[in-house]
């Protein structure tokens, strides 16, 4: 019957992630259009429970935030997977720390062939597997080592071959 407002969202905005950060961490935001920004956790000031928050990344027309995660170790990688089954790992060292609310830098070469970024996670060498699920129920489980380490401005390689009309729904690494 009673609700607690946790966050004020404007218009059609939605919540992508809720992250727990520690002093010294940095935050990575990735858009569907292939842009990414990395900023210090200290750039986000403390606010009241119902505050709308601060801007993390400038969003281009028709774009949206697809993924967010915390970077704690410079030896980690940003794993990005696209709508049409392409993926790659890129060393987080390739993402310079910027001030929040910028337009970011290119993290994936988005084309008609790859489709938009659907999610991005920070992964490390202690993780061993990736599970990818499609919208039509196809699921694969593969070794994380099978997803290549590539540069920021590349499209990646096919992680999952999809049937016509299907698309990636979600993925996780562990």
């Amino acid at each position: 019957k009673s609700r607690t407002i946790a966050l004020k969202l404007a218009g059609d905005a939605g919540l992508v992630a809720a992250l727990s950060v520690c002093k010294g961490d940095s935050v990575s935001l990735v858009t569907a259009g292939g842009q990414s920004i990395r900023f210090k956790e200290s750039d986000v000031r403390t606010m009241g429970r119902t505050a709308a928050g601060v801007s993390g990344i400038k969003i281009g027309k028709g774009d949206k935030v697809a993924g967010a995660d915390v970077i704690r170790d410079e030896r980690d990688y940003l794993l990005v997977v696209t709508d049409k089954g392409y993926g790659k790992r890129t060393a987080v060292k390739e993402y310079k720390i910027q001030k929040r609310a910028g337009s970011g830098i290119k993290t994936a070469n988005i084309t008609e062939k790859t489709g938009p970024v659907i999610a991005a996670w920070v992964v490390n060498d202690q993780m061993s597997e990736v599970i990818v699920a499609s919208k039509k129920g196809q699921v694969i489980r593969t070794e994380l080592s099978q997803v290549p380490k590539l540069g920021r401005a590349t499209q990646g390689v096919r992680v999952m071959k999809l049937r016509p009309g299907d698309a990636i729904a979600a993925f996780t690494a562990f």
Side-chain angles (χ1 to χ4, degrees), residues 101-158:
S103 58
I105 56 178
K106 192 174 200 174
T107 195
N109 188 25
I110 301 303
T111 64
E112 188 70 32
K113 180 174 132 180
T114 64
V117 173
I118 58 109
W121 298 100
V122 174
V123 297
N124 58 50
D125 287 330
Q126 284 70 49
M127 296 175 167
S128 62
E129 297 188 44
V130 177
I131 296 177
V132 183
S134 77
K135 292 181 179 177
K136 291 187 176 179
Q138 185 179 351
V139 177
I140 65 160
R141 183 175 178 170
T142 187
E143 296 290 320
L144 182 58
S145 62
Q146 297 300 307
V147 181
K149 298 173 183 175
L150 299 170
R152 283 187 305 103
T154 60
Q155 69 180 14
V157 299
R158 187 177 298 275

Side-chain angles (χ1 to χ4, degrees), residues 16-17 28-36 63-69 77-90 95 107-108 110 114-123 130-133 135 147 155 159 167-173:
V16 172
S28 172
L29 300 178
V30 179
T31 71
Q35 290 295 106
S36 175
D63 204 357
K64 65 181 181 178
V65 173
D69 209 349
Y77 296 89
L78 185 64
L79 173 62
V80 175
V81 175
T82 67
D83 183 62
K84 294 187 179 174
Y86 286 79
K88 66 176 182 163
R89 291 181 290 161
T90 303
Y95 298 90
T107 195
I110 301 303
T114 64
V117 173
I118 58 109
W121 298 100
V122 174
V123 297
V130 177
I131 296 177
V132 183
K135 292 181 179 177
V147 181
Q155 69 180 14
V159 174
I168 301 296
F171 75 93
T172 190

